[in-house]
Amino acid sequence: MKSFDVAIIGSGPAGASAAFELSGKGISTVIIEKEILPRYKTCGGGLVYRGRKAIPFDVSSVIDQEFYEVDAYFSGTDIKLTAKKDKPIISMVMRDAFDHLIVEKAKENGVTLLQNHKVENITFGEKQIIHTSQGDVEAQFIIAGDGALSPIAKIAGWKETRTIIPALEYEIEVPPEDFERLSKNVRFDMDALPYGYGWCFPKKNHLSVGVGVFIKTNGKINLKKHYADYLKMLGIANVLKEEAHGFVIPVSPRTDSFVKNNVFLIGDAAGFADPIFAEGISNSIISGILAAQSIAESNLNADLAAQLYHEKLEEELLPQLRTGVVAAKYVYKHKKIRNYFAKKYGSYLTNALADVFMGDRTLPKDYKAALRRKFKEVIFK
């Protein structure tokens, strides 16, 4: 049986980044992946600059396009906001190539990759025995980067406490004139469907177009219909080729810890996607690095590693995610208030959100105080 200090389950940006971080610290590490790499991954593929600069090596070889401007339209209004920066706010990637690059960099540093190994169960103890479709693997620590559905979290004993929302994305080829028109900027269309938005992400020779509901709702929403309506909104009358991908995104963090039985949850498995825009790549990368650092800094001490990880999350990610959960309700449920602020303070808000995407600022930790201050400005100005 193969034995390692750390077994990382899942080879997405979260798991691969954790592996790369561990590989430079002399800790024996294995990535266990159920697919054969490279594999297609359903994702808009928008890598914000905050996530890009967290990666400790150049990823330009797998960047399809870079966008220094991002447009946000508000359906049913004349509001259009544009963010501009001198560095790419969003870089477009295809996840098969992007994820595979990070894995290959980790392998160059000595990380073992076990492909076509589906985890079937885990026996917990002083060492964890991971039972896979291709045999058993032993490790002291497990880092679970196995995505939104996270079978590993269920095996390790987590109950579901995240808010999980549905989205539908199509990779589409369109006539040259439509591609030329829509490939200049990244585009978000707020309220393209109830409680959500549509997006149009230009790739090298096609568009990633999708719709998603970004807060929990009681009723069912027909995403296919809203996608068809969104194409009309974009002025696309003829789709030459399309490939549909439905998926779910956790837009709130788990509430019952992020470490159990020496299993560390990262990325979507932990619920670390941005609650407002559901962007998940950057926080996946950052959480993977934080988990790896915690294990390394603990000298493989399980209790200390868990404590360090929770402390790092509380410092780096969780306050902003909590603020985002509250802000998302205002963005999607209280359109009149949101539109008022967008019209009156559009430039300020656009620059502030762009700074968050760039990693130059964070959302305020004390969101209630921030909201009170802003409302007082509006009322007493």
Side-chain angles (χ1 to χ4, degrees):
M1 179 168 57
K2 299 181 178 71
S3 184
F4 301 88
D5 295 324
V6 181
I8 298 171
I9 301 174
S11 65
S17 296
F20 184 85
E21 183 73 17
L22 288 166
S23 68
K25 301 182 183 301
I27 296 172
S28 63
T29 305
V30 61
I31 298 174
I32 300 174
E33 169 57 48
K34 66 180 180 179
E35 306 287 348
I36 300 291
L37 301 181
R39 81 308 181 234
Y40 179 84
K41 173 70 176 177
T42 302
C43 178
L47 173 63
V48 299
Y49 192 73
R50 174 173 174 262
R52 183 170 176 174
K53 70 181 183 181
I55 302 171
F57 49 83
D58 181 30
V59 296
S60 58
S61 64
V62 292
I63 300 295
D64 269 16
Q65 294 205 63
E66 297 177 329
F67 292 94
Y68 297 74
E69 294 186 15
V70 175
D71 294 329
Y73 297 82
F74 293 72
S75 299
T77 77
D78 60 356
I79 302 171
K80 177 193 172 186
L81 304 179
T82 299
K84 297 182 181 181
K85 290 292 179 181
D86 58 1
K87 292 185 175 66
I89 301 172
I90 298 180
S91 301
M92 290 299 160
V93 300
M94 293 301 293
R95 286 285 305 277
D96 51 356
F98 177 71
D99 296 7
H100 192 49
L101 173 67
I102 307 176
V103 171
E104 287 299 306
K105 291 290 186 181
K107 284 172 59 183
E108 288 173 11
N109 278 7
V111 170
T112 299
L113 171 65
L114 297 179
Q115 304 181 73
N116 198 28
H117 280 58
K118 182 180 179 181
V119 175
E120 297 174 337
N121 208 343
I122 301 172
T123 300
F124 297 102
E126 195 167 312
K127 295 273 186 148
Q128 323 319 317
I129 309 299
I130 303 160
H131 308 289
T132 84
S133 56
Q134 302 291 329
D136 292 348
V137 178
E138 181 184 70
Q140 182 178 349
F141 295 90
I142 294 172
I143 297 178
D146 56 333
L149 300 179
S150 190
I152 302 308
K154 293 174 184 149
I155 292 171
W158 271 276
K159 304 298 182 184
E160 188 54 79
T161 59
R162 302 166 297 169
T163 297
I164 298 178
I165 54 90
L168 181 63
E169 180 193 49
Y170 286 74
E171 305 282 359
I172 66 173
E173 295 180 15
V174 297
E177 59 272 19
D178 284 333
F179 184 76
E180 173 65 21
R181 176 173 57 85
L182 293 168
S183 63
K184 300 189 183 304
N185 281 348
V186 172
R187 172 173 177 153
F188 295 93
D189 284 273
M190 309 302 293
D191 306 325
L193 71 167
Y195 310 114
Y197 69 81
W199 67 88
C200 182
F201 287 0
K203 301 295 178 60
K204 190 175 293 184
N205 51 20
H206 72 279
L207 303 173
S208 289
V209 178
V211 291
V213 178
F214 294 103
I215 61 172
K216 197 169 185 178
T217 60
N218 294 326
K220 290 186 177 181
I221 294 181
N222 187 337
L223 291 180
K224 284 188 177 180
K225 179 184 180 302
H226 288 297
Y227 165 73
D229 292 341
Y230 185 48
L231 288 182
K232 293 176 185 176
M233 183 186 297
L234 294 174
I236 299 174
N238 183 23
V239 175
L240 304 178
K241 183 180 177 182
E242 67 179 5
E243 187 174 332
H245 303 278
F247 58 109
V248 296
I249 309 169
V251 289
S252 70
R254 293 184 186 270
T255 60
D256 55 346
S257 89
F258 302 97
V259 183
K260 288 184 182 182
N261 294 316
N262 270 18
V263 176
F264 290 63
L265 298 184
I266 58 176
D268 281 348
F272 289 157
D274 166 64
I276 303 175
F277 292 104
E279 186 275 320
I281 300 177
S282 60
N283 283 349
S284 289
I285 293 166
I286 292 166
S287 63
I289 292 171
L290 294 179
Q293 289 174 343
S294 301
I295 292 170
E297 290 170 15
S298 76
N299 292 318
L300 304 183
N301 179 292
D303 291 337
L304 180 56
Q307 176 187 329
L308 288 171
Y309 186 46
H310 284 113
E311 288 174 355
K312 289 176 186 292
L313 289 175
E314 198 60 56
E315 177 65 27
E316 296 284 335
L317 290 182
L318 292 176
Q320 288 72 46
L321 289 171
R322 295 185 191 114
T323 297
V325 168
V326 175
K329 293 178 182 177
Y330 283 90
V331 170
Y332 297 113
K333 277 190 172 181
H334 303 286
K335 292 194 293 184
K336 286 185 179 180
I337 296 174
R338 182 205 64 198
N339 288 351
Y340 174 83
F341 277 93
K343 188 164 269 191
K344 191 170 182 66
Y345 300 101
S347 178
Y348 168 80
L349 292 172
T350 301
N351 287 328
L353 281 173
D355 285 345
V356 172
F357 279 4
M358 301 300 289
D360 294 333
R361 76 159 73 185
T362 60
L363 294 173
K365 294 182 181 181
D366 188 350
Y367 60 85
K368 291 181 180 177
L371 286 172
R372 282 196 297 270
R373 284 196 302 271
K374 187 53 68 177
F375 276 119
K376 283 180 181 178
E377 289 176 20
V378 173
I379 293 169
F380 297 111
K381 189 169 181 179

